[in-house]
Amino acid sequence: MARQFKLPFVDLDRVIETKAGTSISRIMERQGENAFRDMETAALKDAVGQASGVTSQVIALGGGALLREENRRMVESTGVVILLMATLETLLKRLTTSSDKRPLLKGNLRERLSSLLEQRRNHYNSFHLHVDVDGKTIQENMYHIQLLLGRFHLSAMAEYDVIVQNGGVENLGDMLKLHDLQNPIIVTDDNVAKFFAEAITTSLNNAGFDSKTVTFPAGEAYKNLETIQELWHGFLTHGLDRKSTVIALGGGVIGDIAGFAASTYMRGIQWVGVPTTLLSMVDASIGGKTGFDLPEGKNLIGSFYPPKLVLADPQILRTLPEAEFASGLAEVVKHGIISDPELLNLCAHGLDCVKDDLEKIVKRAMAVKIKIIEDDPYEKGYRAALNLGHTVGHAVELVSKFQLRHGEAVAIGMVAEAKLAERLTVATKGLSDAVAEVLSSLGLPVQIPTNLRREEIIQAMRVDKKKNAKAIRFALPAEIGRVELVDVTDLESVL
Ligand SMILES: NC(=O)c1ccc[n+]([C@@H]2O[C@H](COP(=O)([O-])OP(=O)(O)OC[C@H]3O[C@@H](n4cnc5c(N)ncnc54)[C@H](O)[C@@H]3O)[C@@H](O)[C@H]2O)c1
């Protein structure tokens, strides 16, 4: 966990042994359990004292370390406890070779262990964040821990933390300090500014920053070079230097233009993503793509320029118009189909349940994209799985002259591509119906509107993906949780 999050690591037992100059079993034998627990409390005090400085750290505790109320209070008031829980059988397997090193387990191992587990049952059950580790790999357990904490660390393109936290924007100032970021300027649009600029400015000011704000009119029409130029001038007017930090507070449009302006201003200054739409939380804010549109087409100019931090606060979505929210859900469903059946299941319960479970859903959906882009940051291979629904979706969006929102078009695209997968026997029959059912329950369209001409959609697909390409690579769903990249030459067969 410490390695994954790139945080300092403390193994409390090691600290105690180093300090005492002997092993824990010796301490127990010679001085008894109480003396050992006193040493444990003292070591914990030291470790926690260090943690309250500028950075976070991971502390490994023994199974009995929090039995003392004093220890538990100390730990829970300064951090978060994750309980790794294993069954008796798993523990027995692990301990048969090393039980002699564990003084509390001397004698009949099965008996001693089950009585210890029984004694501690209520204690262990009283921790909220549980990971059942039986039969799982370290990577699987780590994935689960990241979901529980709502904290991810990306390393493939650059090092940065992604944090999901209800109410998190109120702590933005402190988070900037923790990440050693300075002199912030907020870039946002007029819709978002209305709701959140004040709260965020207050958070920054309370943390000792003299925060500044630049606001633009909302909408894709402003994702252009003119806006970028205005931003560059704004940065100059506000005296931003190479150490300053751009805060992109908004949806995908703001993230793309603020990130691009940051990537080019003074050859690149730091930026932080604070996504405020569902789409930008689960998709646009992670992955490091920034850019703007030209009159000839969308996203034609851009750079790979990852932020230093992404803070997603699901509570911020409360003010998002319903249609924007549903549109973002199409990307969430997409991530479920790509590799998280449980996420798709959560979406299948309909809009109201999704809203109740929003924090969990945002974390899971972000986790899917993060896993893929960490494996393939520059889209040399499997990152293309994220294009699921987009080959048909982009074409439908274009031919509708953007009357359909991006997510609506992607929903239609996912069903069309699932049908294609069935015809190509990449998927078994019934998959497209299952996908359509979830999307419909969220209020998303699943059929190409009859007024859009199929020939135009096919032509748009051809133009969208390099005119000369003989085949178009589709990301097709093979089953819920698995996507295959398939080259399709006969485009007429797609619809
Ligand atoms: N960089 C990437 O990897 C990536 C990925 C996907 C999409 N994108 C880009 O993202 C853009 C679409 O993003 P989007 O869907 O977030 O659109 P958007 O940024 O235009 O936001 C949609 C609307 O919602 C409003 N809004 C945003 N947050 C709000 C809130 N909390 N409450 C009330 N209103 C709010 C905005 O003002 C806007 O009117 C496109 O330009 C697309 O190209 C980028």
Side-chain angles (χ1 to χ4, degrees):
M1 190 173 158
R3 197 186 306 144
Q4 172 80 28
F5 287 148
K6 296 269 161 34
L7 291 176
F9 176 56
V10 176
D11 180 331
L12 206 66
D13 283 356
R14 283 275 159 74
V15 172
I16 297 166
E17 288 184 332
T18 311
K19 212 163 171 197
T22 183
S23 68
I24 287 175
S25 40
R26 279 273 163 80
I27 300 171
M28 292 277 219
E29 262 164 31
R30 296 194 177 156
Q31 304 176 50
E33 187 180 349
N34 256 343
F36 165 69
R37 296 286 174 209
D38 287 342
M39 291 179 194
E40 195 175 42
T41 302
L44 195 55
K45 253 184 209 151
D46 280 353
V48 167
Q50 282 158 22
S52 60
V54 281
T55 183
S56 311
Q57 62 179 340
V58 177
I59 306 178
L61 300 174
L66 299 187
L67 287 166
R68 275 193 185 176
E69 209 30 59
E70 177 191 4
N71 294 1
R72 182 164 184 172
R73 234 178 298 120
M74 185 160 51
V75 165
E76 289 186 331
S77 63
T78 48
V80 180
V81 181
I82 305 262
L83 179 78
L84 303 176
M85 202 61 208
T87 58
L88 177 64
E89 296 309 318
T90 303
L91 294 173
L92 280 172
K93 253 188 244 149
R94 290 179 180 178
L95 287 169
T96 33
T97 53
S98 65
S99 60
D100 56 325
K101 295 198 195 101
R102 294 178 184 259
L104 292 181
L105 298 176
K106 286 231 162 96
N108 180 326
L109 184 59
R110 179 177 283 274
E111 257 171 39
R112 297 283 301 134
L113 198 54
S114 48
S115 103
L116 199 65
L117 283 177
E118 196 45 49
Q119 276 169 33
R120 292 182 182 173
R121 179 192 301 275
N122 290 342
H123 173 65
Y124 288 154
N125 283 344
S126 68
F127 292 95
H128 300 302
L129 302 182
H130 267 227
V131 179
D132 290 318
V133 299
D134 304 282
K136 309 254 177 56
T137 62
I138 289 178
Q139 283 76 14
E140 286 166 337
N141 288 324
M142 192 54 220
Y143 192 75
H144 195 164
I145 289 173
Q146 292 178 96
L147 286 177
L148 285 180
L149 289 179
R151 180 181 182 128
F152 306 87
H153 184 83
L154 283 77
S155 313
M157 193 182 285
E159 304 283 342
Y160 61 103
D161 285 336
V162 172
I163 292 169
V164 188
Q165 198 181 85
N166 267 335
V169 288
E170 280 155 33
N171 306 322
L172 182 64
D174 291 335
M175 283 194 206
L176 292 191
K177 283 212 290 210
L178 268 175
H179 287 82
D180 210 13
L181 295 161
Q182 302 166 22
N183 195 23
I185 183 163
I186 301 167
V187 176
T188 190
D189 72 31
D190 45 11
N191 285 336
V192 178
K194 211 166 48 202
F195 295 116
F196 305 110
E198 199 182 318
I200 291 191
T201 303
T202 306
S203 158
L204 296 178
N205 292 347
N206 287 347
F209 295 112
D210 169 24
S211 99
K212 306 154 270 289
T213 305
V214 186
T215 307
F216 290 98
E220 186 77 28
Y222 291 89
K223 196 174 126 178
N224 56 25
L225 184 57
E226 216 178 314
T227 306
I228 300 278
Q229 258 173 335
E230 279 180 42
L231 265 180
W232 287 327
H233 288 301
F235 292 172
L236 281 170
T237 311
H238 285 291
L240 263 60
D241 61 18
R242 301 219 48 213
K243 290 197 171 136
S244 303
T245 308
V246 173
I247 313 277
L249 172 69
V253 166
I254 287 294
D256 279 3
I257 54 170
F260 184 82
S263 83
T264 41
Y265 182 76
M266 295 192 174
R267 298 199 178 81
I269 61 172
Q270 332 207 63
W271 73 287
V272 169
V274 184
T276 63
T277 63
L278 184 55
L279 177 130
S280 59
M281 281 185 193
V282 304
D283 188 1
S285 68
I286 34 184
K289 288 186 185 174
T290 75
F292 62 92
D293 305 336
L294 289 182
E296 289 87 344
K298 276 184 67 172
N299 299 324
L300 288 177
I301 309 297
S303 57
F304 278 114
Y305 194 71
K308 285 286 166 202
L309 170 71
V310 176
L311 171 64
D313 177 352
Q315 279 181 2
I316 235 175
L317 300 175
R318 271 180 321 207
T319 52
L320 193 65
E322 194 90 340
E324 292 293 343
F325 186 75
S327 182
L329 275 175
E331 302 288 349
V332 174
V333 168
K334 182 190 83 176
H335 291 181
I337 298 172
I338 293 175
S339 73
D340 188 349
E342 195 178 324
L343 174 60
L344 193 74
N345 218 6
L346 288 168
C347 294
H349 294 131
L351 208 51
D352 289 343
C353 290
V354 164
K355 285 185 178 165
D356 288 343
D357 255 342
L358 203 50
E359 192 183 8
K360 189 170 173 190
I361 284 174
V362 168
K363 285 176 187 170
R364 291 198 85 102
M366 288 176 99
V368 170
K369 175 152 182 185
I370 289 170
K371 168 115 190 29
I372 291 174
I373 60 173
E374 280 295 272
D375 290 343
D376 178 19
Y378 295 101
E379 203 164 329
K380 304 247 186 282
Y382 193 68
R383 182 167 176 167
L386 294 167
N387 288 337
L388 171 69
H390 282 64
T391 309
V392 173
H394 270 155
V396 168
E397 189 181 8
L398 205 70
V399 174
S400 82
K401 302 204 168 52
F402 296 92
Q403 290 307 301
L404 286 168
R405 281 167 204 276
H406 178 70
E408 292 166 346
V410 169
I412 292 170
M414 280 192 284
V415 176
E417 292 178 13
K419 284 184 184 157
L420 174 64
E422 289 171 2
R423 284 199 296 280
L424 297 176
T425 66
V426 169
T428 48
K429 276 241 159 303
L431 184 73
S432 61
D433 286 344
V435 171
E437 198 179 322
V438 177
L439 292 166
S440 303
S441 76
L442 299 170
L444 285 160
V446 293
Q447 273 175 347
I448 299 174
T450 46
N451 63 335
L452 303 186
R453 292 186 48 229
R454 266 144 220 264
E455 305 81 73
E456 272 186 61
I457 296 171
I458 290 167
Q459 182 55 18
M461 275 193 283
R462 225 174 244 130
V463 174
D464 192 30
K465 309 279 160 191
K466 321 251 177 319
K467 284 186 181 120
N468 299 329
K470 288 207 177 68
I472 291 184
R473 176 155 292 186
F474 278 78
L476 294 182
E479 59 187 322
I480 300 299
R482 190 166 64 85
V483 161
E484 278 181 25
L485 303 180
V486 179
D487 288 334
V488 177
T489 41
D490 177 16
L491 282 190
E492 309 299 321
S493 74
V494 170
L495 302 180

